[in-house]
DNA sequence: TGAAGGATTTGT
DNA sequence: CAAATCCTTCAC
């Protein structure tokens, strides 16, 4: 059975252990429909996995109002607010009741998207050079207008946010390292990024 | 009911 | 290296 139809990745594709899904998201495209109907696209170039038994995972202790989507079925969106300022986008994996999700840490925006975002005038000034506009989990949510309203929704056209498979020609070496910014679970090598890609948050 | 702190980013 | 800034979580 096909897990991608009309070039969209379906929920079943996320129904695997998070540390298996996270590296395979590299090269996939995150597609966002803007409020004006524009489609913004960015290739996923950096991910991190958070899963069951992992002290850094928001679902490590128990279900709460905030982390509920992490315990939901694979293919859900989980967005949370960090430091009162930025949002972080996660894609829920594995199975229901198993807290797990992939943090999308950086995107390489395509040319058309950069052009469109540049016309929103204020963007260019506040975000620095274009190829770094989505180089970080907080930055990519800000530039693609992703916030907690999406948390708990299905990754889908209806939500205005979905994932498409890599181009047939996609091929790039991945680097596996330790996760960033956490105080527990630092030994796990659950961060992956595309080697030498200029949009990676911290090489 | 209150206090501590965070899967970040930016500027000093 | 510290501020920004607000919500969530956990302790009392």
């Amino acid at each position: 059975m096909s897990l991608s139809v009309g070039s969209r990745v379906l929920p079943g594709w996320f129904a695997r252990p998070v540390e298996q899904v996270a590296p395979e998201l590299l090269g996939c495209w995150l597609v966002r429909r803007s409020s004006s109907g524009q489609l913004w696209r960015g290739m996923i170039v950096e991910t991190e996995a958070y899963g069951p038994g992992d002290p850094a995972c928001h679902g490590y202790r128990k279900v709460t109002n905030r982390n509920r989507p992490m315990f939901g079925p694979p293919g859900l969106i989980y967005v949370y607010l960090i430091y009162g300022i930025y949002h972080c986008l996660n894609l829920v994996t594995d199975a229901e009741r198993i807290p797990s999700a992939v943090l999308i840490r950086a995107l390489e925006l395509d040319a058309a998207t950069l052009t469109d975002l540049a016309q929103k005038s204020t963007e260019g000034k506040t975000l620095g050079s274009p190829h770094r506009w989505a180089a970080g989990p907080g930055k990519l949510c800000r530039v693609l207008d992703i916030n907690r309203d999406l948390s708990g929704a299905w990754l889908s056209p209806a939500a205005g946010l979905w994932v498409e498979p890599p181009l047939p020609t996609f091929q790039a070496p991945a680097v596996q390292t330790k996760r960033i910014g956490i105080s527990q679970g630092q030994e796990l090598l659950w961060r992956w990024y595309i080697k030498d890609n200029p949009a990676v948050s911290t090489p």
Side-chain angles (χ1 to χ4, degrees), chain A residues 172-188:
Chain A
V175 177
Q176 181 177 189
T177 64
K178 295 189 222 176
R179 293 174 294 181
I180 291 178
I182 54 174
S183 54
Q184 290 179 300
Q186 300 176 40
E187 67 290 343
L188 290 173

Side-chain angles (χ1 to χ4, degrees), chain A residues 80-88 138-139 141-142 146:
Chain A
Y80 64 91
L81 179 66
I82 187 68
Y83 301 120
I85 307 177
Y86 299 100
H87 293 276
C88 288
K139 295 169 76 175
C141 284
R142 185 177 54 177
I146 291 169

Side-chain angles (χ1 to χ4, degrees), chain A residues 17-177:
Chain A
V18 66
E19 69 272 27
Q20 189 178 332
V21 175
E24 290 190 23
L25 275 168
L26 296 180
C28 288
W29 294 83
L30 184 73
V31 187
R32 172 67 165 149
R33 178 167 34 73
S34 76
S35 55
S36 62
Q38 271 283 329
L39 289 190
W40 292 328
R41 298 171 186 277
M43 188 177 74
I44 298 172
V45 300
E46 180 181 353
T47 61
E48 279 182 2
Y50 290 86
D54 166 18
C57 178
H58 285 177
Y60 183 57
R61 291 171 178 252
K62 61 175 185 179
V63 185
T64 64
N65 198 50
R66 178 180 70 160
N67 68 24
R68 181 165 294 111
M70 289 196 95
F71 291 82
L76 288 189
I77 297 165
Y78 169 49
V79 179
Y80 64 91
L81 179 66
I82 187 68
Y83 301 120
I85 307 177
Y86 299 100
H87 293 276
C88 288
L89 170 68
N90 299 258
L91 308 183
V92 177
T93 62
D94 213 311
E96 196 151 8
R97 309 195 58 169
I98 298 180
S100 61
V102 177
L103 170 67
I104 306 301
R105 288 194 54 90
L107 303 174
E108 182 179 356
L109 302 173
D110 77 357
T113 299
L114 287 176
T115 299
D116 194 59
L117 291 176
Q119 289 176 349
K120 297 196 346 179
S121 67
T122 58
E123 307 288 4
K125 305 187 176 186
T126 56
L127 295 179
S129 75
H131 71 276
R132 306 277 314 166
W133 283 356
K139 295 169 76 175
L140 73 89
C141 284
R142 185 177 54 177
V143 77
L144 296 185
D145 199 24
I146 291 169
N147 57 55
R148 282 173 302 171
D149 291 349
L150 286 166
S151 198
W154 286 101
L155 209 45
S156 66
L161 187 67
W162 65 93
V163 171
E164 295 179 359
L167 297 178
T169 56
F170 174 76
Q171 179 190 323
V175 177
Q176 181 177 189
T177 64

